[in-house]
Amino acid sequence: EAGVTQFPSHSVIEKGQTVTLRCDPISGHDNLYWYRRVMGKEIKFLLHFVKESKQDESGMPNNRFLAERTGGTYSTLKVQPAELEDSGVYFCASSSGPPQGTDTQYFGPGTRLTVL
Amino acid sequence: GNSVTQMEGPVTLSEEAFLTINCTYTATGYPSLFWYVQYPGEGLQLLLKATKADDKGSNKGFEATYRKETTSFHLEKGSVQVSDSAVYFCALSDYGGSQGNLIFGKGTKLSVKP
């Protein structure tokens, strides 16, 4: 069974540009999460999809970030326009649910975003 | 709000040494507790978990016991190997009806020397 995959693995862009990150969850997993780790800080929750619906987007930092999950399968996270403080590693995770504290989340390898 | 505090790193040990990485938490409700590990160049992997008080999670020689009285979930291994070099993250998920998003500690980098 394939794990969670993310693309690209690295992205270097200039301030003001747009970047789109993609996550493919484990097949059949209804829950999809996005997290971010800014240099030297904790991994922070961004948002949670259940199938194609946004269940919780309380962690999204501002309206420059837009997440979508087409047909309840893969998800994209767009940053537009990117700012310097957006640099970090963006992780995606999926789980089979229902979303409870006991559910194991499986993580992808992350996308390292550098904004210059 | 909910939070996780884990010991600052980096931690450097010799092979076969005993490992402890401290983790304490603050949470409302009844959280589940997790240790995730990130090996160099790879993503986060679940190492072990415990879902209720006094549960012991174990995997690959690592273990951690959910201590409600001390709000702790310390990670231990009796004899570390060079291959255990990685970053270890303690995390919690509030079982009390939340959406299940994880709250992480800052991570502890472990280096094991031969």
Side-chain angles (χ1 to χ4, degrees):
Chain A
E1 178 183 279
V4 177
T5 57
Q6 294 186 244
F7 182 83
S9 56
H10 293 87
S11 181
V12 180
I13 61 172
E14 294 192 350
K15 177 181 171 181
Q17 290 186 321
T18 297
V19 63
T20 300
L21 313 181
R22 173 171 170 145
C23 168
D24 286 77
I26 292 172
S27 178
H29 279 193
D30 287 341
N31 297 291
L32 188 150
Y33 302 83
W34 283 98
Y35 294 85
R36 174 175 77 169
R37 188 184 193 201
V38 174
M39 180 70 74
K41 300 201 172 178
E42 297 92 336
I43 300 170
K44 294 280 195 183
F45 166 77
L46 295 178
L47 86 159
H48 169 208
F49 284 98
V50 178
K51 298 184 180 178
E52 66 276 7
S53 300
K54 290 176 185 174
Q55 192 74 16
D56 180 358
E57 51 185 330
S58 60
M60 295 287 264
N62 51 61
N63 60 9
R64 295 186 293 103
F65 290 75
L66 175 64
E68 295 180 328
R69 189 176 183 194
T70 306
T73 55
Y74 72 91
S75 174
T76 57
L77 179 64
K78 180 189 287 188
V79 185
Q80 180 182 29
E83 299 289 344
L84 299 179
E85 63 265 26
D86 301 332
S87 296
V89 181
Y90 290 76
F91 292 103
C92 175
S94 71
S95 70
S96 55
Q100 295 178 353
T102 57
D103 200 26
T104 295
Q105 295 182 26
Y106 297 89
F107 281 75
T111 293
R112 182 175 295 277
L113 174 65
T114 302
V115 182
L116 302 175
Chain B
N2 297 346
S3 66
V4 173
T5 302
Q6 64 181 103
M7 64 186 287
E8 297 284 335
V11 174
T12 302
L13 296 174
S14 297
E15 207 165 23
E16 299 184 3
F18 184 86
L19 169 71
T20 300
I21 301 178
N22 290 338
C23 172
T24 57
Y25 67 89
T26 302
T28 56
Y30 303 94
S32 293
L33 301 172
F34 304 81
W35 277 100
Y36 278 83
V37 59
Q38 186 178 24
Y39 297 103
E42 299 184 14
L44 291 165
Q45 300 176 23
L46 178 67
L47 181 59
L48 53 84
K49 72 178 186 181
T51 59
K52 61 183 187 296
D54 299 325
D55 267 3
K56 177 186 284 189
S58 60
N59 186 24
K60 299 182 181 180
F62 291 89
E63 56 183 35
T65 301
Y66 187 165
R67 301 283 188 203
K68 190 164 186 274
E69 63 277 13
T70 55
T71 62
S72 65
F73 193 54
H74 305 321
L75 182 69
E76 297 182 335
K77 186 174 185 181
S79 176
V80 293
Q81 306 300 312
V82 172
S83 57
D84 294 326
S85 298
V87 181
Y88 293 81
F89 295 91
C90 185
L92 72 82
S93 180
D94 187 354
Y95 182 67
S98 78
Q99 303 308 315
N101 50 287
L102 292 167
I103 296 168
F104 286 89
K106 288 188 176 182
T108 302
K109 183 175 182 180
L110 171 66
S111 297
V112 181
K113 307 297 184 186

